[in-house]
Amino acid sequence: MARPIWTGTLSFGLVAVPVGLYSATEDHAVHFRQLQRGTSDRVRNQRVNERTGEEVEYRDIVKGFELAEGEYVVVEPAELERISPGRSKSIEISGFVDLTQVDPIFFDKTYYLGPRGKEYGKVYGLLHRALADTNRAGLATFVMRGKQYLAAVRVEGDVLVLQTMHYADEVRDPHRELDNLPEPAVEPTEKELAVARQLIEALSEEWDPQRYHDTYTAQVRELVEAKLAGEDVVTAAPAPESTNVVDLMAVLERSLAQAGAGGTDGRAAEPGPAEDGGPAEDLTGLSKAELYKLATERELPGRSSMTRDQLLAALQGRAAEPKRKGKRPLRAVS
């Protein structure tokens, strides 16, 4: 079982239940070490006193609020705790709100909330059931790692989740940040708008998170494997060019034809022969995400940079192969 990253008390009214906060997501990105070029020597970051150049132990570091150049007010961790005792150990629900009223831009990170013992299951279950029945979320504040968060406590399946939120003054006004928003006078024609709506309807689908994959991370892994094997690195297709306003209608119509047929040129790809001479698999009804998943299972090389049609053609022309067992040890390559 995972260890909680924060423990404390969740309270609403006079009702309180001890809870633990657990990460709801995990990072699958490829992480690199920093090396000096031409060597296998790691480059490390250190906490260094900028005046003496000497490394400073973590326990000897305090917080300093800068008043002027080189002039600070020093604050100890214990002093921060004393100004608001207990706040770092409680999630206090102050009110309940319909989640549909909250703009998604306010939400930040999601955590699971779990009771800190079976004896608290009834109180935990009470809040869970009440929130589910009323379709509400509890708005709360709590302190974690020296920072106070605004949060929403809501139901997700059979558990309670906590979503940290941005405060209103942390959300930037787009009209102040962007200086190139279209003027109100810049309106699409009725025909362009009608085709754009058709395109949206043609590409509409049910939300299924399993259909989406981090293809960039897969490309990075293939890059490492290719360099390890001394193979050429496959270059991905370039980013699409910006649409010329003059050609907007033509591009919309081609996009609609492509979406309707499921191919890049408005036609569904024809099934090709299987490698063993037998009938090819009929994969034409699969989405790109589903084709990519199948290509991953069969370890199809270069899959990360392929379009849907290229994946389809490659899979229909490739017999199913068993997965390779084991992993090759990685070594330093250039």
Side-chain angles (χ1 to χ4, degrees):
M1 296 291 290
R3 296 181 60 184
I5 61 174
W6 180 96
T7 59
T9 302
L10 172 64
S11 63
F12 58 108
L14 298 178
V15 181
V17 54
V19 294
L21 203 63
Y22 302 80
S23 294
T25 58
E26 58 186 0
D27 180 16
H28 287 164
V30 176
H31 297 279
F32 293 97
R33 301 289 191 185
Q34 294 186 101
L35 307 176
Q36 182 175 354
R37 189 186 300 278
T39 74
S40 294
D41 301 335
R42 287 187 56 185
V43 177
R44 298 179 183 271
N45 296 321
Q46 293 179 318
R47 293 176 291 272
V48 175
N49 183 314
E50 66 177 21
R51 180 179 60 82
T52 66
E54 297 179 356
E55 186 175 0
V56 181
E57 294 291 334
Y58 183 78
R59 63 176 178 271
D60 293 329
I61 296 177
V62 295
K63 297 180 183 294
F65 181 83
E66 188 170 19
L67 297 174
E69 182 72 28
E71 188 177 340
Y72 298 90
V73 173
V74 176
V75 178
E76 297 284 348
E79 293 175 311
L80 291 173
E81 174 63 24
R82 285 199 296 270
I83 64 174
S84 187
R87 293 299 302 275
S88 62
K89 291 297 180 182
S90 65
I91 300 172
E92 304 167 0
I93 295 179
S94 57
F96 297 88
V97 65
D98 187 335
L99 274 176
T100 61
Q101 298 178 350
V102 184
D103 190 318
I105 199 172
F106 283 94
F107 293 118
D108 188 13
K109 192 168 183 180
T110 304
Y111 299 89
Y112 293 133
L113 273 172
R116 296 288 288 160
K118 292 184 178 180
E119 64 270 30
Y120 304 112
K122 183 175 182 179
V123 182
Y124 180 92
L126 170 67
L127 179 58
H128 178 279
R129 178 64 182 272
L131 288 176
D133 288 351
T134 58
N135 194 31
R136 292 284 195 274
L139 294 180
T141 57
F142 77 108
V143 175
M144 180 172 65
R145 297 169 182 163
K147 177 180 178 180
Q148 184 182 56
Y149 292 89
L150 175 65
V153 177
R154 62 176 182 82
V155 169
E156 181 66 41
D158 58 354
V159 301
L160 291 174
V161 299
L162 179 145
Q163 285 187 273
T164 56
M165 303 174 68
H166 299 289
Y167 290 99
D169 60 0
E170 295 176 327
V171 178
R172 295 180 174 181
D173 182 351
H175 296 91
R176 296 182 60 182
E177 300 298 322
L178 308 178
D179 58 3
N180 56 355
L181 290 174
E183 297 292 335
V186 181
E187 290 286 342
T189 67
E190 284 299 323
K191 188 176 180 181
E192 290 170 342
L193 192 55
V195 177
R197 287 170 179 158
Q198 284 181 277
L199 179 58
I200 290 174
E201 289 298 329
L203 295 175
S204 295
E205 57 187 32
E206 294 294 326
W207 165 240
D208 179 7
Q210 298 300 325
R211 296 179 61 180
Y212 300 89
H213 307 275
D214 182 358
T215 57
Y216 176 74
T217 295
Q219 285 177 302
V220 173
R221 292 186 185 280
E222 289 185 9
L223 167 64
V224 173
E225 290 181 4
K227 290 178 71 68
L228 186 61
E231 300 171 352
D232 292 334
V233 178
V234 179
T235 303
E241 296 182 3
S242 300
T243 302
N244 189 317
V245 177
V246 177
D247 301 328
L248 179 57
M249 192 62 206
V251 174
L252 282 168
E253 289 176 337
R254 288 201 304 272
S255 300
L256 185 59
Q258 173 184 321
T264 55
D265 59 354
R267 297 173 297 170
E270 295 296 330
E275 286 185 352
D276 59 2
E281 296 175 276
D282 184 9
L283 307 175
T284 55
L286 300 183
S287 67
K288 181 180 178 181
E290 291 167 331
L291 291 171
Y292 181 83
K293 183 178 180 181
L294 187 58
T296 301
E297 292 173 354
R298 299 183 182 181
E299 298 190 337
L300 185 70
R303 57 188 177 274
S304 298
S305 59
M306 292 184 182
T307 64
R308 180 191 177 280
D309 279 359
Q310 289 170 337
L311 283 168
L312 181 62
L315 285 168
Q316 289 183 322
R318 180 185 177 93
E321 298 176 358
K323 290 185 178 180
R324 293 194 299 265
K325 295 183 178 180
K327 293 184 178 179
R328 291 175 295 177
L330 293 180
R331 55 182 172 82
V333 293
S334 59

